[in-house]
Amino acid sequence: MTSNKSPTTEPASTRRPKSSSGAAGVREFAAEIGFARVAFNLLVVLLLGLLFWTVLDLPPQSAGLHAKVKAHMHVSGVASPITAVLLNFRGYDTLLEIVVLLLASIGCLILRDAPQSHPALAPGRPGKWVLDGMIHVLIPVMLLTAGYLLWAGDHAPGGAFQAGAVLAAAGFLLVLGNRMRFWRTPEWLLRLSLSFGMIVFVLVASVVTILTKNLLQYPENYAGILILLIEISVAGSIGCVLITLFAGHPPVTRTPAADQLWHSNDEPKE
Amino acid sequence: MTALTWIFDGLLTAAMVYLAWSLLSERDLFKAVVLFIAFGLLMALAWVRLRAPDIALAEAAISAGLSGVLLLDAVGAIRSPNPVPEDTSSDSG
Amino acid sequence: MMFEEWISSALVCAGAFFYLAGTLGMLRFPDIYTRLHAVTKADNLGLGLLAAGLMLRAESWPAMIKLALIWMLALVTSATACYLVANNALRAGLPPVLGRYRSGSRP
Amino acid sequence: MNDFYLAVSAFLLVNILVGLVRILRGPTPPDRMLMAQMFGTTGVGILLLLSEAMGLPVLRDVALLFALLGALATVSFVRRYWPVEFAEEESKE
């Protein structure tokens, strides 16, 4: 036992110094790591101290915006104050978040032409059957849960982000079970589903802004239905974006192990 | 605030600080990912204790469903293809 | 009313006991194949008893159904996931620890 | 009564903390992954108890999400992090 770290779980891509030839190089590397560790720990302690100081500095009781939100709940169109803030009072924040998510998925799609880092992995037949059974049971429940969260967002905790995350989890499960060939999605469908939420949101926002002459101020009578429309489309798009992040081809770091995988990928498999 | 809530919150906070520390200073990527999954669970509990069920819902969906999958996939992509983990356990007797 | 509360508390306590058993099993069992039992059996039973105890005090029928659904989902997911792990472990050649009751024939 | 539920959930939290030993010690990746899976189940229990103790029925939804998505990380671990090649391959559609 020369080292106490477990040899099995050591990632293959652990960086080694270029001049590591023999024990001296290793020791040098260890010394380097030791210094980094000390520096890191110092930094953490510093930040922790700052955090404590900030928390202690907070006023014991902050007024918050409770009263203001409560006073305007009747024009928001929904019953849950959180949804009212997210999609009505500060709707532009949410709009920008959707754009950020879309940008992330575009970044992932740019890498689509890179070779896939690992082949479709299949455990043996029994595993496949059990996984298939699990997918059959879980996917409907996941879709139901996503719908429920979307519906609940109107009057209780829940909403588009949570529903989108559950939809994405269903997609993950399908990809993991080789039930969804993500990269065979038609291009137009992919683009449409990724941007659908943003398109609907921007359309609603611009129409509403033109009508009421105020940025993202919904007409009182239509606020509820508009928010529902936005939530449904945004939830779908968030799900698609997250699935893209997972199933879109990941970038590959050039390690020997990864190179080996690339070559094994080139061979046609029967 | 009874003594019990203090105990619960104290345990939760201590565990989260310890977990955060150990997962950040962990060199074994897989172990760090598993610790991160555990951290996500405790984070959701912390949001619950702060009476923010909205964020707890989002945290549950993200930490249990999404980030673990994404991180494991990433770690799997940058490591050697076919590892057979040796059993290094010596506590089997 | 009192009676129901007692039963509920007893069930919750029993659930907590099985959680404890699961954790102890996870820590004390020698290899992955035995540890699977701690996760799939002890912990899920603990959750089931706990959910049953809380169902007795649930405020409405939908709440009771939701609790039951949570338990069933936990059964499905953790049992399946653990089966996949065991299947993979066996195929990857992770040796089971046979110990005192070594049967001689390895799968 | 709330104190009782809080006490039991604190007990389950202690269970999680003790279980961290298995994640830190290993010895093999699947051991760690199983422990994370078990944290999910324990977390569901804690959330159900807290929903009763804190009077927040919404927490059942959080627990539902954990129960629903808790296995995803393990499935991803099996399929992506720890792939084992087999002689018989899945049929390709």
Side-chain angles (χ1 to χ4, degrees):
Chain A
M1 284 297 181
T2 50
S3 65
N4 56 357
K5 61 175 190 289
S6 74
T8 57
T9 50
E10 182 74 5
S13 62
T14 311
R15 275 169 287 124
R16 298 262 175 255
K18 291 194 179 71
S19 62
S20 79
S21 51
V26 173
R27 210 169 300 134
E28 203 176 285
F29 183 61
E32 203 179 302
I33 284 289
F35 174 71
R37 220 185 150 85
V38 169
F40 167 80
N41 286 353
L42 271 179
L43 189 69
V44 167
V45 168
L46 219 78
L47 284 177
L48 209 63
L50 199 66
L51 194 65
F52 270 117
W53 181 66
T54 316
V55 168
L56 288 180
D57 209 37
L58 283 176
Q61 232 141 46
S62 99
L65 294 169
H66 263 289
K68 225 169 183 174
V69 170
K70 216 168 188 175
H72 290 83
M73 272 310 286
H74 62 278
V75 295
S76 71
V78 289
S80 159
I82 309 252
T83 310
V85 169
L86 278 183
L87 283 162
N88 198 338
F89 302 151
R90 286 185 67 88
Y92 53 92
D93 266 3
T94 312
L95 178 58
L96 292 181
E97 276 166 23
I98 306 299
V99 176
V100 167
L101 276 174
L102 184 63
L103 284 178
S105 73
I106 290 173
C108 197
L109 285 178
I110 287 172
L111 299 162
R112 199 164 30 158
D113 292 334
Q116 214 187 351
S117 60
H118 35 64
L121 305 161
R125 284 218 157 269
K128 177 184 183 295
W129 284 344
V130 170
L131 191 56
D132 279 358
M134 177 178 173
I135 287 173
H136 282 171
V137 174
L138 282 192
I139 293 295
V141 184
M142 280 180 174
L143 295 180
L144 186 68
T145 310
Y148 166 70
L149 285 175
L150 203 53
W151 168 76
D154 175 58
H155 54 85
F161 277 96
Q162 289 88 341
V166 175
L167 279 183
F172 283 17
L173 198 56
L174 285 177
V175 171
L176 285 173
N178 279 351
R179 288 311 199 80
M180 181 159 75
R181 307 281 167 154
F182 175 81
W183 44 94
R184 292 206 189 142
T185 319
E187 192 71 24
W188 64 269
L189 183 62
L190 187 64
R191 289 179 188 218
L192 181 66
S193 52
L194 285 177
S195 52
F196 189 67
M198 196 195 76
I199 290 172
V200 170
F201 208 148
V202 167
L203 270 182
V204 169
S206 34
V207 168
V208 151
T209 306
I210 289 168
L211 283 184
T212 63
K213 309 252 177 354
N214 266 327
L215 178 64
L216 262 174
Q217 186 182 44
Y218 308 117
E220 226 174 281
N221 296 336
Y222 297 101
I225 188 77
L226 286 178
I227 286 179
L228 186 68
L229 181 68
I230 291 173
E231 282 218 80
I232 290 175
S233 45
V234 160
S237 274
I238 289 175
C240 292
V241 165
L242 291 173
I243 294 172
T244 308
L245 294 186
F246 177 55
H249 295 197
V252 178
T253 44
R254 295 298 300 261
T255 60
D259 275 349
Q260 199 183 332
L261 267 176
W262 283 18
H263 296 315
S264 69
N265 245 6
D266 290 343
E267 295 161 8
K269 288 213 286 188
E270 303 305 313
Chain B
M1 284 296 253
T2 60
L4 266 170
T5 52
W6 275 101
I7 291 174
F8 188 91
D9 294 352
L11 275 176
L12 192 59
T13 317
M16 283 178 65
V17 170
Y18 175 72
L19 263 182
W21 185 285
S22 60
L23 85 87
L24 283 177
S25 58
E26 180 60 60
R27 284 184 58 211
D28 178 348
L29 286 180
F30 175 73
K31 215 162 135 184
V33 169
V34 175
L35 288 172
F36 184 73
I37 295 172
F39 181 80
L41 172 74
L42 294 188
M43 192 73 223
L45 288 181
W47 288 123
V48 164
R49 286 299 301 151
L50 291 169
R51 289 187 176 266
D54 277 272
I55 312 180
L57 265 178
E59 179 70 34
I62 300 282
S63 78
L66 309 185
S67 66
V69 176
L70 285 171
L71 289 174
L72 279 175
D73 189 41
V75 176
I78 59 173
R79 72 199 282 283
S80 60
N82 253 332
V84 177
E86 306 157 34
D87 194 5
T88 52
S89 67
S90 50
D91 59 334
S92 52
Chain C
M1 189 60 200
M2 248 350 247
F3 184 67
E4 256 177 43
E5 272 184 17
W6 276 107
I7 297 277
S8 157
S9 309
L11 282 173
V12 169
C13 282
F17 170 76
F18 276 103
Y19 271 113
L20 176 68
T23 307
L24 284 183
M26 204 63 195
L27 292 179
R28 294 289 305 158
F29 284 160
D31 66 351
I32 181 84
Y33 303 100
T34 43
R35 283 180 198 140
L36 280 168
H37 295 284
V39 181
T40 54
K41 297 200 176 81
D43 253 33
N44 279 333
L45 183 58
L47 181 59
L49 289 171
L50 211 145
L54 292 176
M55 270 160 85
L56 286 180
R57 289 177 54 83
E59 69 274 6
S60 63
W61 278 103
M64 286 177 81
I65 293 172
K66 200 186 263 180
L67 284 171
L69 180 69
I70 288 170
W71 180 49
M72 281 189 258
L73 279 177
L75 278 184
V76 171
T77 54
S78 80
T80 324
C82 288
Y83 169 80
L84 290 175
V85 170
N87 191 20
N88 240 34
L90 197 62
R91 281 160 191 269
L94 210 64
V97 173
L98 292 174
R100 208 181 327 166
Y101 302 106
R102 183 185 298 271
S103 62
S105 64
R106 278 274 307 274
Chain D
M1 206 57 199
N2 286 354
D3 275 356
F4 169 69
Y5 289 132
L6 207 57
V8 177
S9 60
F11 172 74
L12 294 188
L13 192 62
V14 172
N15 263 346
I16 284 189
L17 298 190
V18 173
L20 273 181
V21 174
R22 185 46 78 197
I23 286 190
L24 295 173
R25 283 237 179 106
T28 60
D31 289 317
R32 302 200 165 107
M33 203 62 234
L34 275 189
M35 202 63 223
Q37 167 84 36
M38 190 164 170
F39 281 5
T41 317
T42 316
V44 171
I46 294 180
L47 283 167
L48 290 182
L49 287 167
L50 279 184
S51 88
E52 204 73 18
M54 296 173 68
L56 285 175
V58 196
L59 299 189
R60 291 192 193 122
D61 290 352
V62 184
L64 181 74
L65 277 192
F66 265 110
L68 194 59
L69 309 181
L72 261 179
T74 313
V75 174
S76 147
F77 164 75
V78 168
R79 301 282 290 191
R80 288 294 168 87
Y81 180 80
W82 191 27
V84 182
E85 296 283 339
F86 300 112
E88 53 176 337
E89 271 267 328
E90 203 168 338
S91 65
K92 301 217 160 44
E93 286 106 304

